[in-house]
Structures are given as C-alpha cells and as structure tokens.
Amino acid sequence: MIDLHMHSTASDGTDTPQEIITKCRKLGLKLSAVTDHDTMDSQPEAIRTARELKLRYLTGVEFSVRHIGELHILGYGMDTEDQELIAMMNDLRSSRVERVHEIIRVVQEHGMKISFEDVERFAKGNTLGRPHVALALIEKGYASDLQDAFTRYLNEEGSCYVQRRKLNPGQAIEMIRKTGGLPVLAHPKFVRTDDIEALVTELKEMGLGGIEAYYPAHSDADVERYVGIARRNGLLVTAGSDYHGAMRPYAAIACEKRTGPFLEESVKILAEKYAI
C-alpha cells in the first residue's frame, strides 16, 4: 500500500506530520507523502519521523493553480531547502493570511461576529485557510458543520467566498522541476475541462510528469481512463487518499487500495529516484 496525498496541521488537516507518518508505518505503507497546500512547513517533521521509523518517504506539496474551477498540482521529491522555493512559499503563506482577513471582513458584513483571533486560534500556529474560518463559524453557531460552512459561505458559490492569488500551472510545474521534483496532476476528475487529455498534453509540455489516477472519488472506469492517458503521454501514475484527518473522516489513510501493474511500475520509479 502507498498514500501520496495527505494533509497535516501545516495546512488544513488535523493530524501533525509525525502522527500521519506514524499511522503510515503502523499500516505498513511502502511509500508515503505529506502534501500540504502551498506550504512545505510539514516536511522537516515528516522527514525526521519517516527516517526514525524507517519508512520510505517523498517530500510533497499540493499547489492550487489558476484554472477555471479547481486544478491542483502535486509535487514530489523537491529540495525543501531551496531558497527560491522557500521565498515562494513565504509569499503564498502571506497571500493566504491576507485572504483570511478579507473573508472575515465579508463574513462580518453579513452580520456574523467572528474575529481574526477566533480564526487564528484554530490554526494553532500553522498556515491559515478556509477550514479555520469554517471552524470559527461553527463555534459561533453560524454553521452546523464543515460542509454547511463551506456550502453556505466559503465555497465558490458561497456568500462569503474570496478568491486568492494563485500560481499559474507553468509556474508551479517549473518550480517543482527546478527543485528536483516531479509534478503530478491531482485528482483529474475534479478538473473542469471539456478535454482532459488535451489539458494533460498541454501540461506535459510545461513539464508535467504524472497523473493521480488512483483516487477515492475515481470510479474504476475513471482510473482506467487516466491510466490510459498517462501511458499515451509517457507519464507516471500515483495513488492518494487526500487524507485530512477529522476534516474529512471518510478519507482514511491508504483508503485508496486499488492497484495495477503500471502503478506498481510508477511507484518503483518514484521510490528509486525521489524517496528519502
């Protein structure tokens, strides 16, 4: 088993990197990666724990990039100490904080009394994001649960949604490549496009190296389709749960258990070339 798509307290998960890697070891995973949103703050702790527990590990990140709707690029095997990468991450972190301030302003305009301090407390010193606003809304009684908070207020169709600054796909892919990593298209089923293969071809020209074909929301037919696209374009395939801990209790670590010869071949290449 592997899981190459997990989120920690460094972004919008509820488990620390150490807790995630410890769970991966107990489950007997062959390869794992913590891939927090637009930050690599989780990596030192994840790397240290993986080494202590003798678990094969890939450094990871998940970039949100500009596109119509949702498009995420996973990066694996990057040099976490690269100064240009660190500067980019610091800039993205600042933009997330600015966005939270703006969301709170809009929330207050809608008559809901929450403060920045209410939200910041839920982040516990880690990167701020919409889930922390959602938790503050729940605490104050303005939403019944996370789904309610996002549906009514924080999703794109929500009354308090605020867009944030994102990299374009080429910038994310280039940075991953420049720092020694492999860029992978995350959960392609969620990408809004009329022609996913044409988009993959376009991203490949920018340097895309893989597709997350195995993902809980993908049907068997979806998996077969994305594996085929990967093969035709000379890309690797990966598998991940999109684990967020208590934020998404339905997505457990390594819940994506399907496999296939091409995935096993891809994982072997990833482990040999990028794993710590």
Side-chain angles (χ1 to χ4, degrees):
M1 290 190 297
I2 67 168
D3 197 335
L4 304 183
H5 191 161
M6 298 178 284
H7 297 274
S8 78
T9 49
S11 62
D12 57 347
T14 57
D15 289 1
T16 66
Q18 181 180 22
E19 288 170 336
I20 290 174
I21 298 304
T22 300
K23 289 177 180 180
C24 289
R25 183 68 179 85
K26 288 179 179 177
L27 289 167
L29 268 61
K30 295 179 180 178
L31 190 64
S32 65
V34 176
T35 54
D36 283 306
H37 295 287
D38 302 317
T39 180
M40 299 191 82
D41 288 353
S42 54
Q43 297 310 305
E45 184 178 320
I47 292 168
R48 182 174 63 254
T49 307
R51 283 175 171 159
E52 289 173 355
L53 299 178
K54 295 180 172 54
L55 176 70
R56 300 301 298 277
Y57 181 76
L58 299 175
T59 59
V61 69
E62 184 175 16
F63 285 120
S64 301
V65 300
R66 286 198 294 273
H67 183 71
I68 301 170
E70 181 174 325
L71 199 157
H72 292 176
I73 303 292
L74 293 157
Y76 298 114
M78 300 162 69
D79 176 6
T80 60
E81 297 181 1
D82 181 90
Q83 292 304 303
E84 187 177 354
L85 174 64
I86 290 170
M88 173 187 280
M89 294 298 184
N90 288 339
D91 188 40
L92 290 171
R93 182 185 294 107
S94 296
S95 73
R96 279 182 173 270
V97 174
E98 291 169 6
R99 183 198 196 193
V100 167
H101 277 290
E102 182 62 17
I103 292 173
I104 292 169
R105 186 188 66 78
V106 176
V107 165
Q108 290 171 344
E109 287 181 351
H110 282 75
M112 291 173 279
K113 296 179 180 179
I114 68 167
S115 67
F116 181 77
E117 289 71 25
D118 293 328
V119 174
E120 187 178 35
R121 181 163 48 82
F122 286 105
K124 297 179 181 177
N126 292 296
T127 303
L128 283 166
R130 287 181 297 166
H132 306 121
V133 180
L135 290 171
L137 288 168
I138 294 166
E139 181 184 56
K140 297 288 186 177
Y142 298 119
S144 58
D145 54 30
L146 288 167
Q147 183 175 349
D148 182 42
F150 272 87
T151 300
R152 286 204 283 161
Y153 306 121
L154 302 175
N155 281 338
E156 285 191 34
E157 296 79 17
S159 60
C160 302
Y161 179 77
V162 173
Q163 182 60 269
R164 69 178 175 86
R165 188 179 67 79
K166 297 179 181 179
L167 303 175
N168 63 47
Q171 287 174 312
I173 290 170
E174 180 183 16
M175 179 55 70
I176 294 167
R177 286 289 190 185
K178 282 175 65 176
T179 53
L182 182 80
V184 172
L185 176 63
H187 38 59
K189 185 170 185 173
F190 294 156
V191 178
R192 193 180 303 172
T193 177
D194 293 330
D195 191 338
I196 187 65
E197 185 150 11
L199 176 61
V200 167
T201 301
E202 182 182 345
L203 294 172
K204 180 191 173 184
E205 291 174 357
M206 298 178 190
L208 187 73
I211 300 175
E212 187 180 41
Y214 292 82
Y215 184 82
H218 292 172
S219 67
D220 289 346
D222 291 329
V223 171
E224 184 177 354
R225 179 187 183 195
Y226 301 135
V227 168
I229 292 173
R231 282 186 176 278
R232 288 192 291 275
N233 285 275
L235 305 174
L236 302 181
V237 293
T238 66
S241 65
D242 211 351
Y243 178 72
H244 284 71
M247 288 287 185
R248 295 183 184 177
Y250 52 84
I253 292 174
C255 64
E256 177 50 70
K257 300 183 185 303
R258 292 171 294 183
T259 188
F262 191 45
L263 175 61
E264 293 174 2
E265 179 185 331
S266 296
V267 170
K268 183 178 179 182
I269 292 170
L270 283 166
E272 289 177 352
K273 188 170 183 179
Y274 300 101
I276 293 172

